Amino acid sequence: MAWVAAMHGMTRNRGRRIGQARALALPGVDRLFAPLLDRIDRGLPEGSIDATLPGGGRRLLGGRAPGPAAVVDLRSWRALYRLATGGSAGWYEAWAAGEWASPDPVALFELFVRNRAALGDTARARPWSRIGRRLAHLARRNDAAGARANVAYHYDLGNDFYAPWLDASMTYSSAMFAEADEPLEAAQARKLAAILDRTATRPGDAILEIGCGWGSFAAVAAAGGRRVHGLTLSAEQKAHVEARGLPGVSVALTDYRDATGQYDAIASIEMVEAVGQDFWPAYCAAIARLLRPGGRAAIQYIAIDDAVFENYARNVDFIQAYVFPGGMLLSEARFRAIAERYGLRWTDRRGFGMDYAETLRRWRMAFDAADAAGRLPADLDAQFRALWRYYLMYCEGGFRGGGIDVAQVTLVKEGT
């Protein structure tokens, strides 16, 4: 099949050369955006974008080596202006305004993440344009008051919003799949069991769960005879956990910084992304303070490639601007160093990013089915539903591109 690949590469390169020739002939305002298209083209060593331009022309960007093949209908040059000035948040704003469209945005997001090193700052907001977004983002810091507001913004949309597209256990974090066609609920159960195993607890032991969600881990741990105290800042989640009536399970609207007592183990599943870089030391300090000596904390977290973390941290991305204010993905190296300073030994890391991509695909399929059937809350308008569909696709592309990863790790408190 080598000759097929060679012919395909020749076709793609030919298309790219034609596209470049057209770019040289762009009239008027079109020429203003030719340099940005050129930068994107140079920044795509893998994969390609087959772009239809506002004037009716076409251009193939990239196409030098195999990779995601994205198709984009660029309906207005304003979309590129938004990308240049607003980064991923601006690119979403252009999509919401109908200035670009794609039959499969996931492929485009995967492509940009896959080529993150070569693209550099090409798809990030320019420094002069970050000021307004940064000021707004700083107002959403995760201090005690801000954390409550930020969590409410995302999780208190209502249990009736999440229930139609999450699995029956209401688990809102990555599953662990044993095989491609495994039911989502089974893969979620495997993930929850893996977290419980990491705690090395026995029946009768006490586990603190920082960020208990809708109680799926608490239910698994309680079924195994553990006592669980869950912390959440979401009134909706607290009400749901309490309504389940799980034996040996309590839940409180308490910030992790205000938790007291000592526990045999701690579990925290994709909560640390809501903490923010400034508060990673406080989070690790709380774990060290609340764990008994020798106790274990089982953490599931989402991390961004350390090589691009500084650029990521300087910007306000789409998720921070529109979905989860105050959120921030981890720099694994930075977070690990902080944990170790607090006497928490980092051990047994396991990454499973492609499982998150599949989890997100399943959620999106369920979300679309629920939307089509009218099972999402009626007060959430079409624009809001489109935002969440975009969010699920954006995240899926990020995991497929390898720039972000989900992992579990065990932190062991030093001492006996």
Side-chain angles (χ1 to χ4, degrees):
M1 300 297 289
W3 65 273
V4 175
M7 290 296 294
H8 181 57
M10 289 172 61
T11 302
R12 295 171 89 172
N13 288 333
R14 178 175 178 270
R16 185 167 62 83
R17 288 195 295 271
I18 292 172
Q20 288 174 333
R22 283 186 180 139
L24 294 174
L26 290 174
V29 68
D30 299 7
R31 291 179 181 172
L32 296 175
F33 295 97
L36 178 55
L37 290 173
D38 291 342
R39 288 201 301 274
I40 294 172
D41 178 44
R42 291 193 298 270
L44 299 177
E46 299 178 34
S48 63
I49 302 174
D50 183 356
T52 301
L53 305 180
R58 292 180 66 184
R59 180 168 178 181
L60 187 70
L61 305 174
R64 299 170 182 81
V71 176
V72 175
D73 180 8
L74 191 63
R75 297 170 177 172
S76 169
W77 291 116
R78 184 170 174 80
L80 291 184
Y81 172 79
R82 292 187 198 258
L83 175 65
T85 59
S88 63
W91 191 236
Y92 161 70
E93 290 158 4
W95 179 83
E99 294 165 2
W100 71 272
S102 173
D104 182 15
V106 173
L108 181 64
F109 301 141
E110 178 185 356
L111 177 74
F112 271 71
V113 173
R114 177 86 65 87
N115 292 283
R116 59 194 177 277
L119 284 166
D121 278 343
T122 299
R124 296 193 186 277
R126 302 280 74 78
W128 56 265
S129 69
R130 296 176 190 151
I131 298 172
R133 294 183 192 271
R134 288 298 302 169
L135 289 174
H137 190 60
L138 286 173
R140 294 167 152 182
R141 291 179 80 247
N142 285 304
D143 54 21
R148 286 182 182 272
N150 291 337
V151 166
Y153 184 94
H154 189 83
Y155 291 105
D156 284 349
L157 291 168
N159 299 336
D160 56 345
F161 169 67
Y162 289 97
W165 53 275
L166 296 179
D167 70 289
S169 72
M170 290 285 283
T171 302
Y172 185 37
S173 51
S174 180
M176 279 184 172
F177 290 90
E179 50 193 31
D181 59 351
E182 182 177 30
L184 178 58
E185 193 166 1
Q188 291 289 17
R190 177 176 296 101
K191 179 271 301 293
L192 297 171
I195 289 288
L196 182 59
D197 286 347
R198 285 176 178 272
T199 67
T201 53
R202 297 171 294 184
D205 284 348
I207 300 175
L208 175 69
E209 186 179 8
I210 301 177
C212 65
W214 288 275
S216 60
F217 172 76
V220 169
R226 280 70 162 181
R227 294 174 291 121
V228 182
H229 182 56
L231 306 181
T232 182
L233 294 179
S234 166
E236 290 278 333
Q237 290 182 339
K238 180 177 185 290
H240 184 86
V241 175
E242 290 179 332
R244 296 182 69 163
L246 300 169
V249 174
S250 60
V251 60
L253 282 173
T254 302
D255 190 289
Y256 65 91
R257 288 163 284 208
D258 298 327
T260 59
Q262 282 232 312
Y263 296 85
D264 298 298
I266 291 174
S268 189
I269 302 173
E270 291 181 29
M271 179 272 175
V272 68
E273 299 78 21
V275 168
Q277 184 178 10
D278 291 346
F279 299 98
W280 291 345
Y283 177 84
C284 292
I287 290 175
R289 172 173 53 83
L290 295 163
L291 266 183
R292 65 167 176 78
R296 294 169 171 250
I299 311 295
Q300 183 165 311
Y301 61 93
I302 307 172
I304 191 167
D305 180 2
D306 279 322
V308 299
F309 176 79
E310 289 190 9
N311 283 339
Y312 159 74
R314 283 197 298 265
N315 285 268
V316 179
D317 74 353
F318 156 68
I319 293 177
Q320 293 167 328
Y322 285 98
V323 182
F324 204 122
M328 174 167 277
L329 303 182
L330 263 64
S331 158
E332 188 173 291
R334 289 167 174 81
F335 184 80
R336 176 175 179 170
I338 293 169
E340 290 176 341
R341 282 206 306 269
Y342 282 93
L344 300 170
R345 180 163 50 86
W346 183 280
T347 183
D348 194 22
R349 180 202 185 276
R350 176 187 175 186
F352 49 107
M354 289 307 294
D355 287 22
Y356 217 150
E358 177 61 17
T359 302
L360 286 154
R361 188 186 72 84
R362 303 281 189 97
W363 284 345
R364 177 163 52 93
M365 292 172 61
F367 184 93
D368 288 345
D371 191 13
R375 291 187 286 112
L376 296 178
D379 61 335
L380 301 177
D381 62 20
Q383 182 178 5
F384 177 88
R385 298 194 302 274
L387 164 66
W388 270 73
R389 185 173 294 109
Y390 186 99
Y391 161 59
L392 294 172
M393 293 188 293
Y394 178 86
C395 294
E396 180 184 344
F399 283 104
R400 293 197 185 281
I404 54 177
D405 193 13
V406 65
Q408 289 184 359
V409 71
T410 304
L411 304 179
V412 183
K413 182 175 178 178
E414 302 292 357
T416 56

